[in-house]
Amino acid sequence: MKKLISLSLAAIIALSVVILPETASAHDFTYEQMADMLNSMDILHGDGTGYNFEGMLTRAQFTKLAITSSQYKNSVPIATHTSPYNDVKYTHWAAGYIKTATANSVISGYPDATFRPDGYVKTEEAVTILLKLLGYTNEDFGGEWPYGQMGIAANIGLMDNVTSQTGGIMTRLDAIAMIYNMLTLNSKDGSAYISKLGYKYLEDVILIASSKEDTTVDTDSAYTSLGLYKVKKSFDFSNIGRCGDAVLKTANNELAGFFPSNQNIASYTVDSVRGEDIWISDNGMAKLLNAQSNTTVYEKSNKSTLSAMVSQIDSGDKITVVTNENGYVSYMLANLNEVLAFEDNTSEVYAVAAVLGDSIIVNHNGINKTLSIPSSATAYYDSSKTTFGALSSKAAAGDVVS
């Protein structure tokens, strides 16, 4: 059974941290996060200094963005020997994208057989291209250009967060917002558009644990509220504990990107547990964590409620409280210290103060000392039998030794 170590505080002031249930809401992306999402899907790349949001896009540039965010992405020829339009020679850098878009009726040129690749793309032209990728046709638009297209785009949410209006020139910022909207919409046939690209959009997913928090999780994976997923080497594990939206590459069950929502995360050390009351230490003061019993608590890869978990929480444990921008607590994470039990004649209880190499320094009655135990001595770590020598690499400050 886990031992308790009570921490004495010079002054204990009873403060309440009230936990209220959170109302779920959609994640509002910033433009930077929208661009990061497109980057994670290999649709958009910065120039080394950022995404150049204010830059204006040519018709050729937008055509490339549209095709790389479509199911036709992998059918673009590396090189072409035919010119798709009179003013787009086969040597043009965007010839392959323009040819692919034309072949699949995504774009069309002007009556004089030109495309004008270097002309700036207008809002209604960009809208028409993306609507065609979503499965809409000229029959859906009606005969009065471009009001049919703009009406459909506004109704389905394609124009959300887009500042450019009919007749205006598209900036990279508007293009990013528009393509992000397309990726989160359903196609005309009712299917999720992003699925055609081999991805799935995950909303309100919580990153719960990596291999650091839970040794049963592989180093190339992350455990979430929706299950276990592979992650890239560049994955930002500093977001563990946060909730946000994610893009899942379905072929290998890998999180291509994670985009945290606006939350406040505060970590505390448990001072004591008195019945169902949890007292936490915060900057030298004790606060009463007055949590509702049905608050969701994650401990490693386990999901529970505070009422079910409170009996397992002890002094010295770590509690992370996650609140949204309105101050409501969404959920909590508990990092429970392991009990380190040694098979010898001692019946003393110590708190690990530090681990220096193979030496475990413990605190007992306010005095630090190094454990003098042979490395071959039998020890038990979380019910698993091992040796003291092997255990020293697992011990950490705050663990309890008995």
Side-chain angles (χ1 to χ4, degrees), residues 16-29:
S16 291
V17 178
V18 180
I19 296 189
L20 301 174
E22 178 189 18
T23 302
S25 60
H27 179 198
D28 294 324
F29 269 36

Side-chain angles (χ1 to χ4, degrees), residues 9 11-20 268-292 306 310 319 321 329 332:
L9 298 173
I12 297 180
I13 302 175
L15 299 176
S16 291
V17 178
V18 180
I19 296 189
L20 301 174
Y268 306 99
T269 299
V270 175
D271 175 54
S272 62
V273 180
R274 307 169 192 175
E276 295 187 354
D277 291 338
I278 300 174
W279 288 77
I280 57 177
S281 178
D282 183 23
N283 295 324
M285 297 189 299
K287 292 182 179 180
L288 177 61
L289 192 65
N290 187 19
Q292 292 187 355
L306 187 58
V310 68
I319 296 290
V321 180
V329 173
M332 297 167 59

Side-chain angles (χ1 to χ4, degrees), residues 20 69 71 99 153 165 193 210 237 301 310 328 342 346 375:
L20 301 174
S69 59
Q71 60 187 315
K99 182 176 181 179
Q165 302 295 319
Y193 177 79
S210 66
F237 285 107
S301 303
V310 68
Y328 293 102
F342 300 94
T346 183
S375 61

